[in-house]
Amino acid sequence: NQLIIDKSKCEAARTHLPSFDRNQLKHGIVHLSVGNFHRSHLAYYMDILASEHNQTDWGIVGIGVRSFDKPMSTVMKAQHGLYALVTKGADENDVNVRIISSLIDYIFAPDEPENALAVLLHPDTKIVSMTITESGYDLDMNNVDIQHDLKNSDKPKTVFGFIVHALDARRRANEKPFTVMSCDNVQQNGEVTKRCILQFAKGLNNPQLTEYIETQVTFPSAMVDRITPGTTDADREYVRSRCGIADGWPVITEPFVQWVIEDSFCNGRPPLELLSSSPYNVLLTEHVEAYECMKMRLLNASHTSMCYLGYLMGYTYIHEIMLDKQIEIYIEQLMNIEVTPTLPPVPGIDLENYKRTLIERFSNPHIKDTALRVCMDGASKFPKFLVPTIVEQLKRGNNPHFCALSVGAWIRYLGGYDEQNKPIVLQDALAVELKLSELAAKTKPGAKQILSISQIFATLGENPQFIEAVERVVQLLYEVGSKETLKRWIKEAP
Ligand code: NAD
């Protein structure tokens, strides 16, 4: 099961093989929930620092926190953390392959919680990073696992349990704390993470711990970017036949990568300024909000707007959706007319160029990002990606016509059947918990009840004009289908 490399094919495919001694790497970073994005982003950056800049303090130990991480655990353990990262540009000759070797160990916490805690307590660990998806921050103190973690400091089950109990142990041992670094698409992800950590810590009724976290731990906010789909068997076969690498879980991604992060690390950090130039695009700043806002309201909101409609139109991949001329018009109008006026100035960024690049990135046919991946967790994505724009536009007395289409398409999708009457399998923990599918099916084409869920839609359920617009979208989608709805909606734009 090890990563097996056929060197002659690797050379032909110009594969970058590890060029440093992994045994020299210390685990400066422990990453919770190792998914594909972590492996295309932070692990890639740390690999560059080790191989191109001889930085040996920033190896990574990955921890799989949930039982779902068992398959990743099996592969990463067998391959000693090594895997192939393949970047594919829009031009089919623009392919680069790199064996990433910064992930020096992997711990599957459900089987070995004591090992996970031990590495979190180790003085070499300076940063604990995480990618737990947008929904991971919807902390529910009544959740059984959270309740378990409040009572069991030696065998946590959740990310928050591990982090807080480890911080407490470091406090008691007079050890420096670690920086807690979120790499998820959540606006002010540092602040949001800090709130979750403090909320959990308060449940332990330990004022010294709370004070320690409040005063000594830092939570840098960051904007992270690199479109990274899930891995398919076709990707495994591609890596095997074209690059000569037998890899159980390679990562395919786009060439573009970006990381804008607050320079706020309580126990040291990698020399990220070494990665400031293109193609790495790392920026250390005191003011990350404008970049986060730009990325979430343009990139993530566009993704969230096109995926449900595109899925209903019968498309499988994001690039197919984007190549539909009507969708391109819709996304451009959404970005230009509704989102851009709500954005603060973003230092050093030409917004027109940024938006053009987004359309090109969405259209990349080689990374094969699926609509279904982007459709996941809509209930956690709408409040972060689209609702702020809608609220802002309504406050200004404007009609967010295209945002209404995005919301209506999601509500139609929640109805549970596509336009061929095939069931849609909803991958959305919060939507399931809130029984949104049942609600969408029961109230169709009404949208008021769903829009009144303030956890998702803030105050939008109190705005009759917006409710009416969304209900018209849902009604049209049921009556005339997605293609015709889109055509009419573009024609009716104010
Ligand atoms: P993935 O499915 O490959 O991995 C997700 C990981 O998160 C898994 O280890 C899973 O077990 C874990 N997880 C899910 N819910 C969790 C929870 N509630 N608590 C703890 N762990 C949880 O997904 P990915 O592509 O790595 O994306 C993960 C996140 O990274 C995204 O949700 C997003 O916030 C951020 N991100 C992804 C991309 C991308 O293009 N994939 C780009 C930018 C940012």
Side-chain angles (χ1 to χ4, degrees):
N1 287 342
Q2 290 188 10
L3 187 84
I4 297 169
I5 298 174
D6 173 342
K7 284 218 165 143
S8 57
K9 272 197 178 167
C10 266
E11 267 162 34
R14 296 195 310 274
T15 302
H16 184 282
L17 297 172
S19 56
F20 57 91
D21 178 5
R22 291 178 94 207
N23 297 322
Q24 300 299 317
L25 278 193
K26 290 189 194 165
H27 58 77
I29 299 176
V30 173
H31 187 84
L32 300 173
S33 291
V34 176
N36 268 15
F37 177 64
H38 169 68
R39 298 191 305 141
S40 77
H41 195 257
L42 184 60
Y44 161 77
Y45 280 132
M46 294 308 110
D47 196 69
I48 300 282
L49 280 185
S51 64
E52 259 106 275
H53 300 280
N54 293 320
Q55 294 293 322
T56 52
D57 286 347
W58 304 103
I60 302 171
V61 172
I63 298 185
V65 181
R66 307 192 317 159
S67 53
F68 302 105
D69 293 318
K70 185 71 186 174
M72 178 66 81
S73 161
T74 306
V75 174
M76 285 296 102
K77 281 176 186 265
Q79 296 182 180
H80 305 286
L82 296 168
Y83 60 92
L85 178 70
V86 182
T87 57
K88 293 184 177 181
D91 180 329
E92 66 176 329
N93 296 316
D94 180 10
V95 177
N96 278 290
V97 190
R98 184 178 185 97
I99 304 294
I100 301 291
S101 43
S102 55
L103 197 62
I104 51 181
D105 199 3
Y106 186 99
I107 297 168
F108 181 58
D111 286 352
E112 36 179 345
E114 62 293 342
N115 291 344
L117 278 173
V119 75
L120 288 166
L121 300 189
H122 196 286
D124 281 355
T125 300
K126 315 271 188 215
I127 295 173
V128 173
S129 56
M130 58 176 129
T131 40
I132 58 172
T133 80
E134 292 77 4
S135 63
Y137 300 83
D138 298 326
L139 175 61
D140 171 7
M141 291 300 283
N142 295 319
N143 175 284
V144 282
D145 288 343
I146 292 286
Q147 282 297 319
H148 168 276
D149 283 6
L150 289 172
K151 295 179 198 106
N152 297 279
S153 59
D154 57 336
K155 287 192 175 86
K157 291 185 175 178
T158 70
V159 162
F160 300 116
F162 272 109
I163 292 179
V164 175
H165 290 307
L167 282 171
D168 194 31
R170 287 175 82 115
R171 177 186 70 83
R172 284 185 278 111
N174 264 334
E175 184 60 59
K176 275 192 181 176
F178 44 70
T179 298
V180 181
M181 185 171 85
S182 165
C183 301
D184 276 298
N185 282 326
V186 174
Q187 177 109 38
Q188 294 190 297
N189 51 12
E191 268 307 301
V192 172
T193 308
K194 183 175 184 178
R195 266 204 304 276
C196 293
I197 295 282
L198 281 171
Q199 200 181 342
F200 181 91
K202 282 182 184 149
L204 294 171
N205 289 322
N206 179 343
Q208 285 117 316
L209 171 62
T210 307
E211 194 198 333
Y212 174 80
I213 294 173
E214 271 171 345
T215 57
Q216 300 201 36
V217 182
T218 54
F219 299 83
S221 279
M223 177 268 247
V224 290
D225 196 2
R226 185 169 227 181
I227 296 174
T228 311
T231 306
T232 62
D233 284 341
D235 297 330
R236 290 181 182 89
E237 177 51 26
Y238 174 91
V239 168
R240 195 192 59 74
S241 57
R242 163 140 184 187
C243 318
I245 304 167
D247 184 340
W249 212 319
V251 185
I252 312 294
T253 190
E254 60 173 346
F256 183 86
V257 59
Q258 191 174 27
W259 191 16
V260 181
I261 179 151
E262 273 172 356
D263 195 356
S264 169
F265 292 80
C266 61
N267 190 4
R269 64 159 169 83
L272 297 174
E273 42 289 295
L274 295 173
L275 303 174
S276 61
S277 55
S278 176
Y280 307 120
N281 305 315
V282 177
L283 177 67
L284 285 155
T285 173
E286 296 304 313
H287 309 288
V288 78
E289 299 86 4
Y291 297 90
E292 289 179 319
C293 201
M294 167 189 81
K295 193 252 174 177
M296 268 176 256
R297 292 190 191 186
L298 288 170
L299 188 156
N300 298 107
S302 298
H303 251 169
T304 301
S305 295
M306 74 175 82
C307 65
Y308 302 106
L309 201 62
Y311 182 85
L312 291 169
M313 289 165 87
Y315 295 120
T316 304
Y317 296 109
I318 292 293
H319 71 271
E320 293 173 340
I321 298 175
M322 198 63 237
L323 290 175
D324 185 305
K325 263 286 154 222
Q326 294 289 305
I327 292 268
E328 187 181 337
I329 295 170
Y330 157 43
I331 295 302
E332 279 182 347
Q333 307 270 46
L334 175 85
M335 291 203 284
N336 293 337
I337 301 172
E338 296 175 14
V339 177
T340 305
T342 73
L343 297 178
V346 197
I349 301 273
D350 171 349
L351 275 184
E352 293 313 306
N353 185 45
Y354 183 79
K355 287 185 275 186
R356 253 194 316 278
T357 314
L358 285 185
I359 300 282
E360 281 165 25
R361 291 171 63 199
F362 293 147
S363 310
N364 181 340
H366 301 298
I367 62 168
K368 297 226 158 36
D369 198 10
T370 60
L372 273 181
R373 180 189 79 86
V374 183
C375 286
M376 275 167 62
D377 289 330
S380 302
K381 288 176 174 170
F382 270 91
K384 294 164 180 109
F385 303 158
L386 264 141
V387 172
T389 298
I390 304 172
V391 169
E392 180 69 34
Q393 286 293 7
L394 290 172
K395 208 155 67 186
R396 295 178 187 191
N398 298 332
N399 166 15
H401 180 76
F402 289 102
C403 289
L405 178 58
S406 316
V407 175
W410 182 50
I411 293 177
R412 165 66 185 84
Y413 178 91
L414 285 172
Y417 286 88
D418 70 12
E419 292 179 355
Q420 277 68 52
N421 237 9
K422 285 210 247 37
I424 296 172
V425 181
L426 193 63
Q427 288 182 278
D428 187 334
L430 184 57
V432 170
E433 188 191 318
L434 295 171
K435 298 193 169 32
L436 293 189
S437 281
E438 289 87 328
L439 203 55
K442 199 173 75 190
T443 59
K444 73 178 185 193
K448 187 170 175 11
Q449 273 180 274
I450 292 184
L451 289 172
S452 301
I453 301 174
S454 58
Q455 184 181 355
I456 302 174
F457 288 112
T459 52
L460 298 184
E462 295 159 21
N463 190 301
Q465 177 204 357
F466 189 70
I467 295 171
E468 195 191 316
V470 173
E471 289 188 336
R472 223 177 87 64
V473 171
V474 181
Q475 184 161 21
L476 275 175
L477 284 167
Y478 276 113
E479 281 176 13
V480 300
S482 47
K483 287 202 170 160
E484 183 60 26
T485 302
L486 176 59
K487 224 179 351 181
R488 291 194 198 177
W489 210 251
I490 290 172
K491 222 163 154 191
E492 285 178 21

